[in-house]
Amino acid sequence: MGSIEDEEEKVNFQRIVSAYNFYKVHSFNRISKTETYLHTLPQNHQELLKPYREHLDNVRSCIEQNYSVIRLILKDVGYLFENIDPEETEPRTIRIARMTPVETDQEKVQSTLKQFVRDWSAEGSEERKVCYQPIIDEIINQFPKHLYDSQTIKVLVPGAGLGRLAFEIARHGYSCEGNEFSLFMLIASNFVLNRCHGINLHQLYPWIHQCDNNLDTKDQLASIYFPDINLSDSIPKNSEFSMVAGDFLEVYTKENQWHCVSTCFFIDCANNILSFIEAIYKILKPGGIWINLGPLLYHFSNMMDQNSIEPSYEMIRDIIKGFGFVYEKEKTHVKSKYAQNPKSMLQYKYESVYFVCRKPLSNDTLNNDSGFVS
């Protein structure tokens, strides 16, 4: 018999897949509700709103296209999470128990669709340039190929999302592992990383559920194509790239394992941010570096059923030093966005913090040729 933990994981998996499957029904229900309300309006209002009614028909068509991509995403997800043989000629249909859809899960499905923009579309290149490129540049600066065998440099990316940052690091020849806790993200990243062999294969309408702050009708209907690069031939043969599912604090417990930990929009995802900082320090090799970019959104701060602490960055800086890190670089007020609709009348911009910290070398240990303790 499986353990209680296994059963809980199975139920959680079924809930997330059910949320994806319910996407079309939920989205159509939202449109039907609006259409029902339209019929109650005065006749002259209904006449003036004919273009809006046609717009809702277009929205429905876009939802259909999104759902067709979701079906592809779910088609082989059992290979990852239910140990189904991937060599089978015909993919099995995953049998999912009927579960009551949760509104917050639908929001996460919609959010995941927007993540494709940030990580795997041409339209997300500007966000990636601001958020990912400084991290990549720093890794290249810290571990130049004329001094290091890049494939032996181990880089960890916690909170990897759909995997683009980790993929780009591996693309530069480093051994990179992405870690992600959210099954919503893992199911989607599995599809794009393992099943998308080509460029701009799939079309999504990521802003279709953003009903407010649209300046132009066509802005809500804007589509993107993904992936914007061919993943099949992008990573050097000798470099390693992988994605690992699970809670960062539970998966990564071995000390002195990583040359670099790169976090982007991640450290504020903890109930206790100190637990993340402490874990990063422990798993880094002596002499290893931590590169971070992001705000302090503190995801659990407004959830009444969750515990949370929310120190300012001023306090966090002292805490980081208190664990033993040495600051090497720091930049505040880095203007950055996260899966932002560029056409929206409402723009969210973060004044993020970028820093590079080093775990000091031990005074009483011998260093190898790479400058790290073995």
Side-chain angles (χ1 to χ4, degrees):
M1 294 180 64
S3 66
I4 294 175
E5 290 80 8
D6 289 340
E7 284 301 312
E8 289 176 348
E9 287 182 5
K10 184 177 180 180
V11 170
N12 186 48
F13 169 69
Q14 291 179 331
R15 178 176 64 83
I16 276 66
V17 175
S18 292
Y20 271 111
N21 274 322
F22 193 66
Y23 166 81
K24 179 179 172 180
V25 173
H26 177 271
S27 302
F28 276 14
N29 285 345
R30 172 69 174 80
I31 296 176
S32 296
K33 181 175 180 290
T34 302
E35 289 175 331
T36 299
Y37 177 57
L38 276 172
H39 285 299
T40 68
L41 300 180
Q43 192 60 41
N44 64 320
H45 291 191
Q46 292 189 43
E47 288 295 321
L48 291 169
L49 283 168
K50 279 184 178 180
Y52 180 66
R53 192 185 302 274
E54 294 171 0
H55 171 67
L56 292 179
D57 289 336
N58 291 330
V59 170
R60 187 179 275 107
S61 297
C62 295
I63 290 168
E64 285 275 13
Q65 172 59 26
N66 284 356
Y67 187 62
S68 70
V69 175
I70 286 174
R71 291 183 66 185
L72 291 174
I73 291 172
L74 296 181
K75 186 177 180 181
D76 59 2
V77 73
Y79 298 156
L80 263 189
F81 300 101
E82 298 212 338
N83 297 318
I84 297 173
D85 182 4
E87 298 301 321
E88 290 182 356
T89 304
E90 293 294 329
R92 297 185 192 175
T93 299
I94 304 171
R95 290 187 291 274
I96 301 296
R98 290 184 178 274
M99 307 185 77
T100 304
V102 180
E103 183 68 28
T104 54
D105 284 348
Q106 287 304 308
E107 292 173 359
K108 290 176 181 177
V109 171
Q110 295 170 14
S111 176
T112 303
L113 295 182
K114 289 189 286 187
Q115 192 75 16
F116 279 99
V117 184
R118 178 178 172 89
D119 269 20
W120 296 108
S121 78
E123 288 79 0
S125 61
E126 189 59 35
E127 279 194 24
R128 295 195 297 272
K129 181 180 178 181
V130 173
C131 296
Y132 297 169
Q133 199 59 49
I135 294 173
I136 296 167
D137 290 344
E138 186 62 35
I139 292 171
I140 295 170
N141 176 61
Q142 293 278 349
F143 309 104
K145 294 184 180 180
H146 67 280
L147 294 179
Y148 296 89
D149 181 359
S150 59
Q151 68 187 38
T152 67
I153 300 300
K154 296 174 59 180
V155 182
L156 175 65
V157 180
L162 296 195
R164 183 62 179 263
L165 175 58
F167 179 86
E168 289 294 335
I169 293 170
R171 197 179 180 193
H172 281 82
Y174 300 98
S175 245
C176 190
E177 183 169 296
N179 164 242
E180 179 56 50
F181 177 73
S182 167
L183 271 177
F184 289 97
M185 295 289 187
L186 287 164
I187 288 171
S189 66
N190 169 59
F191 174 69
V192 70
L193 292 170
N194 295 318
R195 304 298 173 184
C196 292
H197 307 297
I199 299 175
N200 293 333
L201 301 172
H202 306 288
Q203 183 182 27
L204 277 177
Y205 294 88
W207 318 121
I208 205 69
H209 304 288
Q210 185 175 309
C211 302
D212 52 2
N213 289 305
N214 291 305
L215 186 63
D216 196 307
T217 305
K218 69 176 184 295
D219 295 339
Q220 187 180 0
L221 305 175
S223 70
I224 59 102
Y225 289 85
F226 75 92
D228 62 321
I229 58 172
N230 190 339
L231 289 85
S232 300
D233 55 12
S234 296
I235 295 181
K237 291 181 179 179
N238 293 329
S239 67
E240 295 183 5
F241 170 62
S242 60
M243 289 283 288
V244 174
D247 186 305
F248 168 65
L249 295 175
E250 295 177 2
V251 175
Y252 300 96
T253 57
K254 291 184 179 180
E255 298 185 16
N256 308 326
Q257 293 293 307
W258 300 90
H259 297 93
C260 175
V261 175
S262 300
T263 52
C264 185
F265 281 73
F266 171 71
I267 60 172
D268 55 0
C269 296
N271 301 82
N272 173 13
I273 190 172
L274 279 71
S275 62
F276 276 8
I277 298 169
E278 183 176 37
I280 291 169
Y281 188 87
K282 286 182 177 179
I283 66 176
L284 274 173
K285 291 175 177 285
I289 60 165
W290 172 24
I291 310 170
N292 175 78
L293 189 147
L296 290 175
L297 186 58
Y298 290 122
H299 293 238
F300 297 106
S301 60
N302 293 317
M303 297 184 183
M304 297 304 295
D305 61 337
Q306 293 284 338
N307 294 316
S308 178
I309 58 170
E310 304 90 23
S312 68
Y313 176 65
E314 178 189 25
M315 295 179 183
I316 292 298
R317 186 196 294 112
D318 290 337
I319 290 166
I320 290 172
K321 292 177 181 178
F323 276 114
F325 279 109
V326 176
Y327 264 75
E328 293 193 347
K329 296 181 182 179
E330 181 183 35
K331 184 179 180 181
T332 59
H333 305 291
V334 179
K335 298 184 185 302
S336 49
K337 299 179 182 180
Y338 193 95
Q340 177 66 55
N341 180 354
K343 299 290 187 179
S344 175
M345 296 163 66
L346 176 62
Q347 295 290 321
Y348 288 101
K349 295 182 181 179
Y350 295 98
E351 299 277 335
S352 293
V353 173
Y354 170 79
F355 60 75
V356 179
C357 294
R358 188 176 300 276
K359 178 178 179 176
L361 287 166
S362 301
N363 294 326
D364 56 350
T365 55
L366 295 175
N367 303 336
N368 61 21
D369 293 339
S370 67
F372 291 92
V373 177
S374 300

